[in-house]
Every structure is written in C-alpha cells, then in structure tokens.
C-alpha cells in the first residue's frame, strides 16, 4: 500500500492510497478519509487517521489484527521478505527495539545527504534523497525488507515525520544533512 497524495481543506483531510509496494500500471487507487473502509488483497481495513505524514489503517478481521501484532521469530534483521514481521508490525517489542535505536526524546538525529544510511537493528534504513537549501526542502525515506515504508517529499523545518513509530520534527536543513529532533517517547 502506498500513500500517494493528501489534501486538506481546513476542516477535513483526505488521502489517496495506491495498491502495491511500488509503482506499476493497473494499480487500484482509493481516496479515503477517517472512517472509510478499503479492501486490499482480500483484507478489509478501516481508515483510523489521515495525517500529513501517514495514514493509519486498522485491520477489521481479528485474524489480520493478530498477525500484525504477532511477535517475530527473531529480533535479528536478516534481509528481505523474511523480515516482514519486523518491518510491518504493531508488535510492541519490535517497536520498542526500533525506538531504542534513536536518540532520546528532545535529542537530535542528523541524517547525511551523501548516501549515508542510518540502519536500525530491526531492519529499517533511513536515508536523505535530497536537500534543497534554496527552497528550504528535503526528501527523507525509510526502507525495510526491500520496500519503502516511509517517504517524505518536500519536508520543511517544523514538519513532523515518523520512522518506526517514533515522531520527529525537522529541526534544520543544511547543504549535506537534515537534522531531526525526537518528539515522542
């Protein structure tokens, strides 16, 4: 599932979701708002929240909820699809392990724009795709198990981004780095 676009009119927010992990012809798209229902690959979800940086989908089926929250066989990242239970999960132990990889709340994290990668022990890798100091924007992303799990285009100082369940504010943009301040526990 991809978060392809978003819009807001001051009273409500909508998002465009696209089926699949990558771009391809024939993909199905949905425009959703909180409370909408969407079925992807035979699995039903309710849209719980639409933010500028994410859409929260809640599985409707108890079996799907349990699978998403299941503990992984190992907390060690092996690479590839075997890591889906580390990359795509609501399991509290996995999220806590990822959160420990970041600086404490209120502390800064710098991501370099020179091909540098911040690799978390539970799998996700964070990268900066560009910094445009003249426009005051940057692109940030996270990949896990070979799939983009977060992608932020044109973020500015003050914007909120989320990686592995941890919230950050963009604190600064430099020619070769993006500085983030952790805002959640």
């Amino acid at each position: 599932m991809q978060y392809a676009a978003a819009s807001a009119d001051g009273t409500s927010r909508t998002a465009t979701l696209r089926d699949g992990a990558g771009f391809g012809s024939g993909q199905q798209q949905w425009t959703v708002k909180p409370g909408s229902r969407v079925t992807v690959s035979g699995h039903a979800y309710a849209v719980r929240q639409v933010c500028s940086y994410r859409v929260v989908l809640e599985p409707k089926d108890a079996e799907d909820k349990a699978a998403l929250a299941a503990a992984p066989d190992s907390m060690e990242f092996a690479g590839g699809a075997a890591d889906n239970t580390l990359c795509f999960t609501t399991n509290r132990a996995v999220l806590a392990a990822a959160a420990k990889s970041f600086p404490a709340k209120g502390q800064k994290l710098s991501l370099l724009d020179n091909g540098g990668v911040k690799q978390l022990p539970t799998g996700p890798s964070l990268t900066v795709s560009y910094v445009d100091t003249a426009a005051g924007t940057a692109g940030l992303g996270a990949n896990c198990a070979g799939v983009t799990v977060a992608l932020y285009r044109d973020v500015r100082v003050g914007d909120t981004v989320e990686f592995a369940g941890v919230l950050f504010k963009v604190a600064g943009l430099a020619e070769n780095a993006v500085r983030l301040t952790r805002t959640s526990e």
Side-chain angles (χ1 to χ4, degrees):
M1 177 72 62
Q2 299 172 50
Y3 184 2
S7 65
D9 64 9
T11 60
S12 65
R13 184 180 295 275
T14 62
T16 302
L17 303 177
R18 183 179 296 124
D19 192 16
F23 294 102
S25 62
Q27 288 176 300
Q28 192 171 9
Q29 282 193 170
W30 305 270
T31 299
V32 298
K33 60 184 179 182
S36 296
R37 295 182 187 271
V38 62
T39 300
V40 180
S41 301
H43 301 275
Y45 299 89
V47 177
R48 193 176 78 200
Q49 183 182 44
V50 176
C51 297
S52 60
Y53 59 92
R54 72 177 182 174
V55 174
V56 178
L57 300 176
E58 183 175 274
K60 296 309 292 173
D61 182 73
E63 189 174 310
D64 289 340
K65 282 183 187 181
L68 191 58
D73 292 336
S74 168
M75 292 292 275
E76 297 296 319
F77 183 68
D83 294 317
N84 283 348
T85 56
L86 289 172
C87 299
F88 311 103
T89 185
T90 59
N91 181 274
R92 292 188 188 279
V94 172
L95 296 176
K100 286 181 185 177
S101 302
F102 294 119
K105 183 177 180 180
Q107 299 297 306
K108 300 242 187 283
L109 170 68
S110 290
L111 300 175
L112 300 178
D113 181 28
N114 65 356
V117 174
K118 165 76 172 160
Q119 181 76 46
L120 304 180
T122 56
S125 58
L126 312 180
T127 58
V128 175
S129 56
Y130 69 91
V131 177
D132 184 341
T133 54
T137 61
L140 306 173
N143 292 291
C144 196
V147 176
T148 300
V149 293
L151 182 63
Y152 301 99
R153 294 183 182 104
D154 298 331
V155 296
R156 297 179 176 280
V157 170
D159 285 353
T160 298
V161 296
E162 178 182 0
F163 296 115
V166 178
L167 298 176
F168 297 89
K169 282 240 188 250
V170 178
L173 303 176
E175 192 171 303
N176 61 354
V178 174
R179 286 183 306 282
L180 306 173
T181 301
R182 183 172 174 167
T183 59
S184 66
E185 293 298 324

